[in-house]
Amino acid sequence: MENSIFLGGGGEDYATQQFLNLKYANRHGLIAGATGTGKTVTLQIMAEGFSNAGVPVFLADVKGDLSGLAGSGSADFKLHEAFTSRAETIGFTDYSYESFPVTFWDLFGKKGHPIRTTVSEMGPLLISRLLELSEAQEGILNIAFRLADEEGLPLLDLKDLQSLLVWVGENRKDLSLRYGNISVQSIGAIQRRLMVLENQGAAEFFGEPALDLRDLIRTTDTGRGQVNILAADKLMASPRLYATFLLWLLSELFEDLPEVGDPDKPKLVFFFDEAHLLFDDAPKALVDKVEQVARLIRSKGVGVYFITQNPADVPEDILGQLGNRVQHALRAFTAKDRKDLRLAAETYRDNPRFSTEEAIRDVGVGEAVTSTLLKKGVPSIVERTLIRPPSSQLGPISDALRNDVMAASDLDTKYRDTVDRRSAFEILKSRAEQAAEDAERLEAKEDNMSAPDREFASGRRYNGSRVGKSTSRRVGRGSQKTFGEQMTQMVVKELTGTTGRKLVRGILGGLFKGR
């Protein structure tokens, strides 16, 4: 079938080819099934199909296996005979081995090009979700973002947000009159969460140059879609960071991409692996946002495919929008499992040849129950399908090949080095230093005044003797520091992180690392 992706063979003896129509591929989809039933291979062959059709894809490589898309399959591979036999069974006559155009990304910049965003672009809602803040703490974070806009303080990286929160704490009495109570305890709690996030490596994610979404939506000179692979094996140690990042990326696509109506094929396909992490303990406001994005982003030409073990992991309002489905086996070991199995089967159009519930329970590895959208968006009758074998390498590629792919990309120099331009941290630091200099000049001016003039300037009653000032110079162990010097040192110390904090990071880093 033209303008479609070949999924595998269904029907009697698996001789009826099953396709995913590209025109309806932006109506979203679901790949579900228990561990070890073949979800990763299904994701791999779908990425291959979209790429060959000229559709860029973005996917997260949770286990490292999907990096094999950058390498070609081989006749020396142990499953070569099994793959060729399966291809013959399902009528995959032009089956061959090939590699695909891959761009590797990594939030930590180790296994791919660094992928960054700014604190401002992430926004208070997602950062609150990331930090697991309470309602009161989230309110203070919203105040901080509001003040950043009003004061012209760009929030680019974590130290910008940390320094702004210090400034909010120092001016909390005045700010509370306008925005409501601002407690030191809440600010301290946010700062501690930011420190934990920083120790998990997220500081590298916030900064510039920020990701240009156009670099995800690219095709090769031969018209093949670019396969964007996010290295997520290390990222999965921080599941909330993983889920928040993917949600942010999805939201950015929704906000920035233009309307394209009803295209012949998607502009980009976004695979959201381990989708349950997005919805676990998520507040209703966040789930509502995901539902809104899923409902409207298809008009931007973006198809979203959720990958999870059980369809029940996805809220019903979102599940109802997933028209293209590949359901691998669900095992029914408990009463709850049997209930989930029955509910999953009820969402398909029945096939008179077999029981959908039994098929979902009994399909083997590499086999699935499939249903895709047909003409006018009508879902097809459910079918037991033998998934086609992949053309790219099954399993991870070598580190040497990964490095070669990264070095050959024109994005290597674009994102390699961090740019630290003037932002909230530098502006607040400059203001503090200026205030310290002004205070020091005023002190020096008062020192040169006559006693009556000094009394008049300070507004105190003159009694013939000079009143001691907190701003006077103090002598300490062979060195003298003015108030201005002391204030500058104190503020800079607060904004950059004290030696004591660095010691705590070294001593307690192991405790935070696993959180």
Side-chain angles (χ1 to χ4, degrees):
M1 183 185 293
E2 294 183 359
N3 300 320
S4 61
I5 295 174
F6 179 46
L7 296 178
E12 296 290 343
D13 300 323
Y14 304 112
T16 304
Q17 295 186 335
Q18 304 296 307
F19 295 92
L20 171 61
N21 194 328
L22 285 172
K23 184 174 179 60
Y24 302 108
N26 66 331
R27 303 288 182 92
H28 311 320
L30 175 73
I31 302 173
T35 301
T37 56
K39 296 191 302 296
T40 300
V41 175
T42 297
L43 172 53
Q44 184 170 344
I45 66 105
M46 289 182 69
E48 292 178 359
F50 280 119
S51 179
N52 281 333
V55 179
V57 301
F58 183 93
L59 53 90
D61 191 5
V62 173
K63 296 179 291 185
D65 293 344
L66 291 172
S67 64
L69 282 158
S72 174
S74 171
D76 298 331
F77 185 55
K78 62 181 180 180
L79 295 178
H80 169 68
E81 292 185 4
F83 283 175
T84 53
S85 175
R86 177 179 293 193
E88 184 178 352
T89 299
I90 63 179
F92 194 8
T93 56
D94 57 347
Y95 177 59
S96 61
Y97 293 124
E98 59 180 332
S99 61
F100 291 81
V102 167
T103 300
F104 290 109
W105 301 93
D106 185 1
L107 262 66
F108 307 108
K110 305 298 183 183
K111 294 185 176 181
H113 306 301
I115 188 167
R116 307 182 187 91
T117 186
T118 65
V119 172
S120 294
E121 287 176 339
M122 178 69 79
L125 175 62
L126 289 182
I127 291 182
S128 296
R129 161 72 169 165
L130 181 60
L131 300 178
E132 302 180 71
L133 300 184
S134 67
E135 185 176 351
Q137 294 161 0
E138 182 179 350
I140 290 177
L141 195 63
N142 275 280
I143 292 172
F145 271 78
R146 176 71 175 271
L147 289 168
D149 291 339
E150 294 178 350
E151 296 288 329
L153 301 172
L155 297 177
L156 305 182
D157 50 30
L158 284 186
K159 71 177 185 295
D160 288 329
L161 182 56
Q162 291 165 334
S163 60
L164 178 60
L165 288 170
V166 171
W167 184 84
V168 169
E170 292 172 344
N171 296 273
R172 64 188 181 279
K173 292 184 179 179
D174 294 335
L175 295 175
S176 294
L177 296 175
R178 179 178 179 185
Y179 296 106
N181 182 52
I182 299 175
S183 70
V184 176
Q185 292 78 7
S186 292
I187 293 177
I190 299 173
Q191 294 281 39
R192 287 192 296 273
R193 298 292 177 86
L194 288 173
M195 184 179 67
V196 172
L197 193 64
E198 187 177 11
N199 284 320
Q200 291 176 340
E204 300 175 26
F205 171 53
F206 293 102
E208 291 185 319
L211 176 66
D212 185 348
L213 295 179
R214 292 173 297 181
D215 290 332
L216 301 181
I217 311 174
R218 305 202 304 174
T219 55
T220 65
D221 295 337
T222 58
R224 302 172 85 192
Q226 195 75 19
V227 180
N228 299 279
I229 299 180
L230 174 70
D233 48 349
K234 180 181 177 182
L235 184 60
M236 290 305 296
S238 306
R240 194 167 290 264
L241 176 59
Y242 166 79
T244 304
F245 163 71
L246 290 184
L247 180 57
W248 163 79
L249 183 55
L250 196 60
S251 300
E252 287 295 296
L253 290 168
F254 172 68
E255 294 291 339
D256 292 354
L257 292 181
E259 296 279 345
V260 295
D262 195 12
D264 292 332
K265 61 183 180 181
K267 192 172 184 177
L268 174 73
V269 170
F270 187 100
F271 290 97
F272 203 130
D273 204 354
E274 301 292 343
H276 67 279
L277 296 175
L278 176 61
F279 305 107
D280 287 348
D281 301 321
K284 186 177 184 303
L286 187 61
V287 175
D288 290 343
K289 181 175 178 61
V290 176
E291 180 186 352
Q292 179 192 31
V293 170
R295 186 174 64 252
L296 300 178
I297 200 172
R298 74 177 185 86
S299 65
K300 307 292 185 81
V302 177
V304 182
Y305 288 71
F306 294 95
I307 299 96
T308 188
Q309 292 192 18
N310 195 320
D313 296 333
V314 182
E316 285 190 10
D317 291 340
I318 297 174
L319 190 63
Q321 300 178 46
L322 311 182
N324 301 295
R325 301 189 182 188
V326 180
Q327 175 67 66
H328 289 273
L330 284 179
R331 309 307 182 193
F333 298 114
T334 67
K336 182 179 183 304
D337 291 341
R338 289 192 291 272
K339 179 180 178 182
D340 290 341
L341 176 60
R342 184 177 66 255
L343 292 175
E346 290 175 353
T347 62
Y348 291 92
R349 285 182 62 189
D350 290 333
N351 189 322
R353 290 193 298 106
F354 58 84
S355 164
T356 305
E357 183 174 345
E358 292 178 0
I360 295 176
R361 183 191 62 203
D362 297 338
V363 289
V365 176
E367 191 180 6
V369 170
T370 62
S371 176
T372 58
L373 297 179
L374 303 175
K375 190 176 181 180
K376 296 184 179 180
V378 177
S380 65
I381 293 174
V382 67
E383 191 61 80
R384 288 185 66 154
T385 302
L386 190 61
I387 301 299
R388 78 161 180 86
S391 297
S392 55
Q393 178 177 319
L394 188 67
I397 60 173
S398 64
D399 291 340
L401 179 54
R402 181 189 290 268
N403 292 334
D404 290 343
V405 172
M406 292 169 55
S409 173
D410 60 335
L411 300 176
D412 185 44
T413 55
K414 181 175 182 178
Y415 292 105
R416 182 193 305 155
D417 299 323
T418 303
V419 176
D420 189 11
R421 63 184 175 93
R422 181 177 172 83
S423 52
F425 170 77
E426 289 79 12
I427 294 173
L428 290 172
K429 177 182 175 182
S430 177
R431 290 182 183 178
E433 291 174 344
Q434 184 63 48
E437 292 176 2
D438 292 344
E440 188 173 344
R441 282 196 298 269
L442 181 60
E443 178 183 351
K445 182 179 179 180
E446 289 187 4
D447 285 341
N448 295 326
M449 288 181 179
S450 64
D453 290 340
R454 188 166 53 247
E455 179 192 2
F456 179 78
S458 60
R460 292 191 294 266
R461 182 183 297 277
Y462 180 62
N463 59 7
S465 62
R466 180 173 179 177
V467 178
K469 298 184 296 181
S470 61
T471 58
S472 62
R473 299 176 184 267
R474 295 184 180 180
V475 179
R477 295 191 178 184
S479 64
Q480 293 183 344
K481 292 185 178 180
T482 65
F483 166 76
E485 291 171 336
Q486 292 175 354
M487 181 175 179
T488 300
Q489 183 181 13
M490 178 190 69
V491 173
V492 173
K493 194 174 183 181
E494 282 289 338
L495 297 181
T496 58
T498 64
T499 302
R501 173 176 165 183
K502 293 179 181 177
L503 286 174
V504 170
R505 177 181 298 172
I507 296 169
L508 303 181
L511 297 178
F512 287 122
K513 191 175 295 182
R515 291 181 59 182

